[in-house]
Each structure stands twice: as structure tokens, then as C-alpha cells.
Amino acid sequence: MSFDRSVKIAPSILSADFANFGQEIRAIEAEGADWVHVDVMDGHFVPNLTFGPAAVKAFRPHVKTVMDVHLMIAPVDPYIDAYADAGADVLTAHVEAGPHIHRTLQAIRAAGMKAGVALNPGTPAEAVAHLLDLTDLICVMTVNPGFGGQKFIDMTGKIATLRQMIGDRPVHIEIDGGVDPSTAPLVTKAGADVLVAGSAVFRGGSVDNSSVYGDNIRAIRAAAEGTWT
Ligand code: DX5
Ligand code: ZN
């Protein structure tokens, strides 16, 4: 995984057909996805439940790009090795998920993965001030985590602050929640480079009609890139 700040579209398979993950993953990659975003929820840290390490391991052979695993679980540390074994390229933990995020990020890297840290909308940028050299990605939540299809919450001030804090470090800024062609330019202009999109990618399409996924991905990308100056 090489580092650059070009716009990357990461469809969230939370909006895919849950009976058909393999085909859905292959379809979004064929239609231009840069990364595949996998939302792991535990019914405890967030009020919804998705899938665990065994399912994520089953997704792995279908992902040819980057498997970006977003843990919305607490605690995190007991499961890090299981997600490494499942083949995660990026493993993201929430700063709110426990008292020892510093240790968690060290452990994720020690297990051979890129380490991401996610911030809920109510958490300030400063929460990661002492983590910048331990992280490869900062995920700014633009919805309260737990469900797809929620309304975008404007976090552009936080994104710009983080972009400044990061400086020259090779740290991605990822945006998660409510990203579509109308909100994408706001976040890329503020400094984001990885855009997670669930409903805005899968809307209107299916594995039998996957060109719609391509149209949706291209629309988000064009809107996001149109703002670069
Ligand atoms: C929310 C998840 C997101 C979600 C985004 O808790 O982390 O990745 O799937 O879905 P949309 O793009 O529909 O807001
Ligand atoms: Zn997510």
C-alpha cells in the first residue's frame, strides 16, 4: 500500500446485498472502487450488529484493492490478531472505544496492518494530537456511527484542523457518513482524501445492474476532484 493524497472512493459494503458479498465486492471493484470499506459493529459500542472476523476473512479473496476495516466495537484489543488473520490492510479503531487507544494503535501496527483512528462527531480533532506518529489514517465520522443512509454532519472545520496537524506525515484523512456528490467537495476541499460511501454507491444498482455502481462512483469522484485548486 503506497501513500498518496489523491481522492480514493471506498464503498461501504454495509449497503451491499448481505446474501451476496463476494459478487458485490467484485462488482464495485470492477466499477472503479479504490478501496473496500468493511463496517464491523458489535451491538454495544454502536446500536447495530454486522459481522465478525470469520466473515471478514471470507471477504478477503474477493478484495483485490485495499480492505479497509472499520471497527465499531469495544473493546478492540482482544480482536486485533483475528482481523490481522482475516487479512485487513487497514484496521481502524475508535478513539472513544476505550482508555488505551495509544496501545491499540501500536498493537495494530505490530500485527502488520495500517493503523486507523476514528473520531465520532462529538470528539474534537485534538483527541489525536498525541497519536499522529502512530497512525496511518484518521477517520472523521460525519454521522453518528451505526447505520448507513444518515444525513451528513458538517465536520469541515475539524477536517481542516486535522489536515494542518498532520503536516507532512503520511496520514490519510478518511470521511465516513453521508458522502455523496453534494457533500464530497466540501470534505476534499477541507483536506480529506479517502471518501467512504455506502448508500450513494449502491443506490439504484445491483450485481446484475452494476454499471449503476460505476456511475455513482464516478459522480462522487468528479464532484470531489472538481474542488482541487
Ligand atoms: C456508519 C458506517 C459507514 C456507513 C456509511 O456507521 O461507518 O461506513 O456505511 O454509509 P452512508 O454512506 O450511507 O452514510
Ligand atoms: Zn465505516
Side-chain angles (χ1 to χ4, degrees), residues 12 14 37 39 41 70 72 141 145-150 176-178 196-199:
S12 164
L14 187 62
H37 186 83
D39 285 308
M41 304 186 186
H70 177 192
M72 285 161 275
M141 295 303 303
F147 304 95
Q150 301 183 80
D176 191 358
V196 175
S199 36

Side-chain angles (χ1 to χ4, degrees), residues 53-102:
V56 175
K57 190 170 187 168
F59 304 157
R60 178 71 259 187
H62 301 281
V63 179
K64 304 296 179 215
T65 58
V66 170
M67 190 159 77
D68 174 34
V69 178
H70 177 192
L71 298 181
M72 285 161 275
I73 68 173
V76 171
D77 294 9
Y79 300 100
I80 291 173
D81 288 342
Y83 286 100
D85 180 60
D89 295 301
V90 181
L91 193 67
T92 297
H94 270 259
V95 75
E96 306 86 2
H100 300 298
I101 186 68
H102 190 284

Side-chain angles (χ1 to χ4, degrees), residues 10-216:
S12 164
I13 60 170
L14 187 62
S15 295
D17 173 2
F18 268 42
N20 215 352
F21 281 120
Q23 270 190 289
E24 290 276 43
I25 289 167
R26 295 198 301 276
I28 53 174
E29 289 197 339
E31 293 294 336
D34 299 290
W35 291 12
V36 175
H37 186 83
V38 178
D39 285 308
V40 174
M41 304 186 186
D42 67 352
H44 163 75
F45 180 70
V46 290
N48 193 6
L49 195 55
T50 55
F51 28 69
V56 175
K57 190 170 187 168
F59 304 157
R60 178 71 259 187
H62 301 281
V63 179
K64 304 296 179 215
T65 58
V66 170
M67 190 159 77
D68 174 34
V69 178
H70 177 192
L71 298 181
M72 285 161 275
I73 68 173
V76 171
D77 294 9
Y79 300 100
I80 291 173
D81 288 342
Y83 286 100
D85 180 60
D89 295 301
V90 181
L91 193 67
T92 297
H94 270 259
V95 75
E96 306 86 2
H100 300 298
I101 186 68
H102 190 284
R103 175 191 292 151
T104 298
L105 294 173
Q106 287 179 318
I108 292 172
R109 280 189 171 172
M113 298 172 283
K114 299 286 187 194
V117 59
L119 300 176
N120 280 336
T123 303
E126 289 69 25
V128 299
H130 300 284
L131 304 172
L132 295 170
D133 293 314
L134 291 174
T135 189
D136 302 290
L137 175 147
I138 300 172
C139 175
V140 178
M141 295 303 303
T142 41
V143 297
N144 286 297
F147 304 95
Q150 301 183 80
K151 191 177 173 332
F152 177 83
I153 303 169
D154 189 347
M155 291 281 136
T156 46
K158 190 195 290 189
I159 299 164
T161 301
L162 287 166
R163 183 67 197 87
Q164 207 163 24
M165 287 166 66
I166 288 167
D168 292 335
R169 295 176 181 86
V171 178
H172 298 289
I173 298 181
E174 176 177 77
I175 307 303
D176 191 358
V179 173
D180 64 19
S182 71
T183 55
L186 306 175
V187 299
T188 49
K189 193 170 187 183
D193 62 306
V194 184
L195 305 189
V196 175
S199 36
V201 167
F202 286 92
R203 179 182 298 144
S206 69
V207 291
D208 298 321
N209 188 19
S210 61
S211 64
V212 173
Y213 298 161
D215 294 341
N216 290 342

